[in-house]
Amino acid sequence: NGLAVVMVKRGACGGCFNTVPPQRQADIREKKKLIVCEHCGRILAGVEDEVVEEAAPKKKRATKATKASKA
Ligand SMILES: [Zn+2]
């Protein structure tokens, strides 16, 4: 019976990726009690809010090829 502690990521258990109900997430945030995932039984230690970052468009850099002028 190895206890595993996982985080809730994007509203889902970090262990089994099943959805964690908002009410349960609230309990985890408040850390009033030990919340375990009802699907896999892992301990839910906290809620991670991942900010989804869209890939920033890379600016094109004009590469100037400086040719050495022949004398
Ligand atoms: Zn789980």
Side-chain angles (χ1 to χ4, degrees):
N1 266 357
L3 289 176
V5 179
V6 296
M7 299 288 290
V8 176
K9 292 181 181 180
R10 296 165 123 186
C13 169
C16 65
F17 303 109
N18 276 297
T19 306
V20 178
Q23 180 57 52
R24 188 160 289 239
Q25 288 183 43
D27 286 345
I28 297 163
R29 286 178 193 272
E30 294 190 18
K31 294 179 179 175
K32 284 179 182 173
K33 50 193 172 182
L34 203 63
I35 308 293
V36 296
C37 174
E38 59 189 31
H39 299 283
C40 66
R42 287 182 175 91
I43 297 169
L44 301 172
V47 180
E48 262 184 28
D49 285 316
E50 283 189 31
V51 179
V52 181
E53 290 184 27
E54 289 185 18
K58 289 180 180 178
K59 289 180 182 177
K60 287 182 181 178
R61 279 190 181 180
T63 50
K64 289 179 181 176
T66 51
K67 290 179 181 177
S69 56
K70 289 178 182 177

